[in-house]
Amino acid sequence: MHNYLDFEKPISDLEAKIRELKKIAEEDESIDTSEEISRLESRVDEAMVEIYSKLNAWQKTQVARHPQRPHFVDYAEALFTEFTPLAGDRKFAEDAAIQAGLARFRGQPVAVIGQEKGNDTKSRIKHNFGSPRPEGYRKAIRVMEMADRFGLPVISLIDTAGAYPGVGAEERGQAEAIARSTEMCLGLKVPMISVVIGEGGSGGAIAIATGNRVYMLEHAIYSVISPEGAASILWRDSTRAKEAATNMKITAEDLKGFGIIDGIIPEPVGGAHRAPEKVINATGDVIFTALNELSTQSGDKLRSDRRQKFLDIGRNL
């Protein structure tokens, strides 16, 4: 069953009528509803195009968080072969919120890192809703160090509301782990491609998103804090999240205009959750092109260009 967002009510009403007509036709074959179904399907397509052509920042936030949106595990299964996940940070524990390991991407050996939110209650608890703890970032560092040593490009897929803010995480050095992971990204002498596939929240995102190329899906968001968190701090009222989302400039179009990201990957009308295979393949094509462009550069140039890219952010604003 499809989960509809609040602004998708016109679409949900039309599709409910289509399901009702199909059920009537199944129960009584003498009733022909095909013409009416076809007409309603055309109206659904028109409504989808109209609604998704003018989404505001808060609506894009809702799409980025859609429970049926493809997650890291879906991209990993479709884009990589021989994916071998590595567990643990060799210091404290395993953190399932960050998935990391070695794989082949269209025949090329790569290192893969990503945040996984989970898609049902059990898996969401297992993956801590995609909010990594310090050991998750230290695991990412371990994989990046291995990639750097063996000359493997790094591909990271970002989808987190932010790093886990619990007491235990802070006691184990959450801020230090995020800083060291960001430092590791900046120091790599191999290509690093990062894609925000859903939410890119705060340091929890940038810790594995400091790449030579940074892309976002069309309806993904990328911000220093969640809209709810910003509203709570600015106005002490989390219900003003919609207002905060608009003012924070968190959409792919905003960030491309600021030069923070390098490109936007289009999503199918209705969002990535309506045609996951299509958007995953498009993401793979963008990663493939970027890797080909970067593969001719020396390690020193990759590192210096990556550092300069982030130093330049905001200079011309």
Side-chain angles (χ1 to χ4, degrees):
M1 187 69 179
H2 184 78
N3 289 314
Y4 293 96
L5 301 171
D6 56 10
F7 62 85
E8 293 181 314
K9 190 174 188 310
I11 298 169
S12 68
D13 291 344
L14 289 169
E15 290 189 336
K17 290 178 182 178
I18 291 172
R19 288 193 296 272
E20 185 178 341
L21 288 171
K22 287 181 177 180
K23 185 177 180 180
I24 291 171
E26 288 175 0
E27 293 174 350
D28 189 345
E29 294 181 359
S30 65
I31 300 175
D32 184 7
T33 61
S34 58
E35 186 176 337
E36 179 64 12
I37 289 174
S38 179
R39 187 181 67 82
L40 289 174
E41 286 176 340
S42 296
R43 288 179 60 189
V44 167
D45 293 339
E46 291 169 3
M48 198 98 68
V49 170
E50 182 181 0
I51 290 171
Y52 274 81
S53 65
K54 52 185 181 183
L55 293 182
N56 59 41
W58 179 243
Q59 290 169 334
K60 282 181 177 285
T61 300
Q62 291 176 281
V63 177
R65 295 171 173 174
H66 197 287
Q68 293 173 316
R69 192 174 179 86
H71 293 165
F72 172 83
V73 293
D74 303 303
Y75 285 83
E77 183 178 356
L79 294 181
F80 305 108
T81 57
E82 301 179 37
F83 178 52
T84 304
L86 301 178
D89 63 348
R90 293 186 176 175
K91 290 180 173 67
F92 181 76
E94 160 65 353
D95 178 19
I98 284 189
Q99 299 291 294
L102 306 177
R104 289 186 182 274
F105 173 68
R106 300 188 179 181
Q108 180 179 5
V110 296
V112 183
I113 304 169
Q115 286 130 344
E116 172 58 37
K117 288 183 172 181
N119 52 25
D120 56 28
T121 301
K122 184 178 180 180
S123 63
R124 285 169 187 155
I125 292 172
K126 173 185 176 182
H127 296 289
N128 201 35
F129 298 85
S131 293
R133 298 176 173 89
E135 42 274 19
Y137 292 109
R138 292 179 178 128
K139 175 172 64 175
I141 293 169
R142 182 163 75 89
V143 172
M144 284 189 278
E145 286 176 340
M146 187 183 303
D148 205 36
R149 187 178 304 121
F150 293 104
L152 303 177
V154 177
I155 298 171
S156 65
L157 302 175
I158 295 89
D159 188 15
T160 181
Y164 184 61
V167 173
E170 297 297 338
E171 289 175 341
R172 296 193 299 278
Q174 183 72 286
E176 182 265 352
I178 289 172
R180 290 198 179 277
S181 184
T182 307
E183 179 186 39
M184 187 69 227
C185 291
L186 289 170
L188 291 172
K189 287 190 174 183
V190 294
M192 182 171 182
I193 313 297
S194 303
V195 183
V196 182
I197 59 174
E199 284 188 272
S202 190
I206 202 170
I208 61 168
T210 317
N212 294 93
R213 298 283 188 276
V214 181
Y215 301 98
M216 286 177 68
L217 294 192
E218 182 181 357
H219 301 313
I221 59 170
Y222 195 13
S223 61
V224 70
I225 192 173
S226 70
E228 293 89 346
S232 296
I233 292 171
L234 293 173
W235 303 298
R236 300 186 184 278
D237 183 1
S238 62
T239 62
R240 296 177 70 178
K242 180 178 179 180
E243 184 179 348
T246 302
N247 293 322
M248 288 166 64
K249 306 297 182 185
I250 62 177
T251 68
E253 292 83 358
D254 292 328
L255 296 170
K256 180 67 168 63
F258 294 144
I260 294 173
I261 64 170
D262 299 289
I264 300 172
I265 301 172
E267 294 189 30
V269 176
H273 53 281
R274 285 188 173 266
E277 184 177 340
K278 185 176 180 180
V279 78
I280 290 172
N281 289 336
T283 301
D285 291 340
V286 168
I287 294 171
F288 184 72
T289 300
L291 282 179
N292 284 340
E293 292 173 355
L294 295 170
S295 62
T296 59
Q297 298 182 15
S298 68
D300 288 335
K301 181 169 175 55
L302 287 167
R303 182 169 64 177
S304 63
D305 284 358
R306 190 187 306 117
R307 290 182 174 183
Q308 194 60 48
K309 167 189 171 67
F310 286 89
L311 286 172
D312 287 342
I313 290 175
R315 282 187 176 177
N316 298 320
L317 298 180

